[in-house]
Amino acid sequence: MNSSRDSDEGAGWYSPEPGKWKADVPPGAKPNSWLRPKTLWQSRNDIIAKWIDPVDQARKRWVELAKPTGGDFVVDRGKDTEFSMLVVGDTGEGDDSQYAVVPALRAQPDVDFAVICSDVIYPTGDLGDYHYKFFHPYRELDWPFYAIPGNHDWYDGLRGFMRVFCGLEDADQKLDFGSGPRAWFARKLWRRNGKVTAEQLEEARQLRSKPRQTSRQPAPYFAIDKGPVRFVCIDTGICGLIDDEQRAWLERVSLENDRPKILLTGKPIYVNGKYRPGGVDDIVRNPKANYVLAIGGDTHNYQRYPVRVGDRVIQYVVSGGGGAYLHATHWIPEVDVAGVTEAEFKCYPLRRDSLARFSQIIDRKLLFGLGLATVEPGQAAAYFERHRGINAQAGRESDAKLRGSQRLKALALGRIRFGHLFHRYGSELFDFNEPPMFKHFLRLDVRADGLTLHCVGVTGSADTEGTPSIEDKVDVKWS
């Protein structure tokens, strides 16, 4: 089918009816509002961790428990030189945003395995939420899932994540906040995980109990060897950092052989036109490590930065659109970072579609749907093209007329003051759960001499449910 880069129809603008996935959303599931006081209170560990972060010590405890089962935490999935795998980022809201992606996942042929890249379960990683936010939505997907934890998965001390993906429990876990008044308050305020019986967990597991669906990963960070490539999956905790022990492990698994490598991380290295090395990019850029891709979740859209490092190119990718609210792209500044300009930068949704869709939602939620803030897709494209110097249609020229009032509306939404704060909180405030939804995931088709990366777009509409679009495609050759 056409993509958003080809036509408005490809973007899903004229197909507002949701697909059959809507009937699979659990009865009583509410849209996961991030501004609901209850949700914010449940997620308070994010604020506490920025004050006193207990993750490093807790992770080391989990790694100690995992060592007898995992060696150096490398999973061997065989020597097939040709295979396909999926990367699905930030999945677990358990509402329409997640379930709309499932038909497109189900339509993917010949998948060997998939990796959830950050935030498996919102809002707090509780084991009790896995039933309807992991096992139930993915019950018909006939391949195993591995996962790397995001910040939300750490809000219960990673207990739910480790139980489901690693089969490990730590009944005696005591998070180390240190000493002093701040530590005392942190211990008192820290949210503990909910209770789930063994029977309840087993009932959930039965939804994905076929041999081909089950897998076991050794630890919160690990590597997967498959054919010619190694996938290196790291755990960046709540604050986007790795501890010294994980850093030493990352160096070992990256430098011990020269096979091509792909990094999967909870925090992207290039995002929104900014560079955030996160204490790991020096290893990624080391030519001896032979990294060709670095994929990060956490930001809920798609971005790709082809960065030249010496005589090679590393593709730095943001992929967090697999099931949570959408982070807008229209306020990403004109890209000029590490030699990557607007001409090389790719994103989904396109800036024009992001601006048009959020203008609709803002108008509906703040202005009673009177159309006072609405900007049509063609008008949004014309604004970017004529007033920002950006081709927001990826090659198509806009022939839309842009009256002064429409330009002012686009200007107000596209260049809003305090753009970072509005991006951070406005996307949550203006969350929406009806088509076009602009979700996505990645498909990697690996060959003996390289791979092809596809960004698979999901509108959520009935017209495109079985035929998701390809919103970006890049071929990578092994060096």
Side-chain angles (χ1 to χ4, degrees):
M1 86 168 255
N2 288 337
S3 73
S4 65
R5 287 159 166 74
D6 301 315
S7 67
D8 288 351
E9 290 84 356
W13 283 110
Y14 307 127
S15 305
E17 291 300 317
K20 294 179 180 178
W21 58 265
K22 184 77 173 178
D24 199 35
V25 178
K30 296 180 180 179
N32 196 41
S33 173
W34 288 98
L35 295 184
R36 188 179 295 133
K38 180 180 179 181
T39 305
L40 291 175
W41 178 242
Q42 288 177 324
S43 303
R44 63 189 180 272
N45 290 357
D46 186 69
I47 304 300
I48 298 170
K50 291 177 173 61
W51 195 25
I52 297 178
D53 188 358
V55 165
D56 283 359
Q57 291 302 320
R59 184 192 293 119
K60 289 178 181 179
R61 168 70 176 165
W62 284 120
V63 168
E64 283 299 316
L65 292 173
K67 277 183 177 177
T69 64
D72 216 2
F73 304 150
V74 178
V75 177
D76 186 354
R77 288 200 59 86
K79 302 185 182 302
D80 299 329
T81 56
E82 294 189 2
F83 66 94
S84 298
M85 60 85 65
L86 306 179
V87 178
V88 194
D90 298 82
T91 56
E93 281 199 355
D95 62 4
D96 294 33
S97 296
Q98 180 175 14
Y99 281 79
V101 180
V102 174
L105 292 169
R106 197 164 50 234
Q108 299 303 303
D110 304 321
V111 175
D112 190 82
F113 66 95
V115 177
I116 297 178
C117 192
S118 180
D119 291 340
V120 182
I121 300 294
Y122 291 104
T124 58
D126 273 359
L127 183 60
D129 286 336
Y130 273 84
H131 187 126
Y132 287 111
K133 297 181 180 182
F134 176 72
F135 290 107
H136 182 265
Y138 304 141
R139 65 193 183 279
E140 296 180 2
L141 302 182
D142 196 22
W143 57 75
F145 276 97
Y146 301 90
I148 58 173
N151 55 311
H152 289 268
D153 300 307
W154 265 105
Y155 293 168
D156 75 334
L158 209 64
R159 294 184 181 206
F161 181 98
M162 294 299 292
R163 184 87 175 270
V164 170
F165 291 103
C166 304
L168 293 175
E169 298 182 65
D170 186 7
D172 299 323
Q173 184 188 67
K174 292 180 176 61
L175 298 177
D176 183 7
F177 292 98
S179 59
R182 289 202 309 172
W184 184 87
F185 277 107
R187 277 193 295 271
K188 292 295 183 182
L189 291 173
W190 188 265
R191 180 189 180 276
R192 268 64 179 181
N193 58 308
K195 301 294 183 183
V196 177
T197 67
E199 292 76 14
Q200 290 171 322
L201 179 58
E202 182 58 27
E203 180 184 356
R205 285 190 184 279
Q206 287 303 309
L207 295 170
R208 282 184 51 84
S209 58
K210 294 188 229 176
R212 240 186 91 76
Q213 293 176 316
T214 57
S215 63
R216 185 77 75 203
Q217 66 188 56
Y221 55 85
F222 60 101
I224 300 173
D225 284 349
K226 176 71 175 180
V229 67
R230 169 169 285 185
F231 300 85
V232 180
C233 306
I234 64 173
D235 167 25
T236 55
I238 294 177
C239 296
L241 303 172
I242 65 173
D243 58 74
D244 292 341
E245 185 175 317
Q246 186 178 181
R247 164 81 187 196
W249 171 86
L250 177 61
E251 290 181 340
R252 285 199 307 276
V253 298
S254 298
L255 300 174
E256 69 182 9
N257 63 61
D258 60 358
R259 69 166 69 203
K261 297 178 186 70
I262 297 167
L263 183 75
L264 294 168
T265 171
K267 299 289 184 181
I269 294 173
Y270 286 89
V271 59
N272 299 332
K274 304 294 184 182
Y275 176 50
R276 299 174 180 173
V280 300
D281 195 41
D282 60 322
I283 298 175
V284 173
R285 298 167 80 92
N286 188 330
K288 294 181 180 179
N290 197 16
Y291 277 93
V292 296
L293 277 172
I295 302 170
D298 188 61
T299 298
H300 303 167
N301 55 42
Y302 173 79
Q303 302 172 43
R304 179 168 64 83
Y305 301 81
V307 176
R308 179 162 290 281
V309 180
D311 60 354
R312 61 202 178 100
V313 172
I314 301 176
Q315 301 288 342
Y316 289 88
V317 175
V318 179
S319 183
Y325 66 88
L326 179 70
H327 273 134
T329 59
H330 61 265
W331 40 58
I332 298 174
E334 289 85 344
V335 171
D336 185 8
V337 60
V340 180
T341 66
E342 278 293 324
E344 296 84 28
F345 172 69
K346 297 292 185 295
C347 68
Y348 178 74
L350 297 174
R351 285 186 174 91
R352 50 155 267 156
D353 293 322
S354 173
L355 177 59
R357 192 68 178 107
F358 275 90
S359 77
Q360 291 179 341
I361 306 304
I362 291 169
D363 187 82
R364 186 180 74 197
K365 292 195 174 186
L366 297 184
L367 300 172
F368 309 102
L370 297 176
L372 299 177
T374 302
V375 180
E376 296 299 323
Q379 296 167 350
Y383 160 73
F384 278 107
E385 183 179 305
R386 299 168 199 172
H387 298 281
R388 297 276 295 275
I390 297 173
N391 188 317
Q393 297 201 132
R396 290 188 290 137
E397 291 186 2
S398 173
D399 57 3
K401 294 181 179 180
L402 190 67
R403 297 192 298 270
S405 61
Q406 295 161 343
R407 183 180 68 82
L408 289 174
K409 288 191 288 186
L411 179 65
L413 293 171
R415 282 195 180 275
I416 194 164
R417 285 184 179 274
F418 311 113
H420 175 73
L421 289 177
F422 195 76
H423 183 168
R424 173 66 179 85
Y425 298 107
S427 291
E428 300 173 14
L429 173 63
F430 302 118
D431 187 17
F432 56 91
N433 286 285
E434 60 280 329
M437 299 174 79
F438 301 111
K439 307 303 178 190
H440 82 274
F441 57 88
L442 306 181
R443 179 184 174 99
L444 276 62
D445 295 320
V446 177
R447 309 175 302 275
D449 63 343
L451 65 81
T452 301
L453 178 148
H454 299 89
C455 171
V456 182
V458 178
T459 69
S461 72
D463 289 355
T464 63
E465 189 166 43
T467 54
S469 61
I470 302 301
E471 295 294 336
D472 189 27
K473 176 181 177 181
V474 60
D475 289 316
V476 176
K477 296 291 186 183
W478 309 142
S479 58

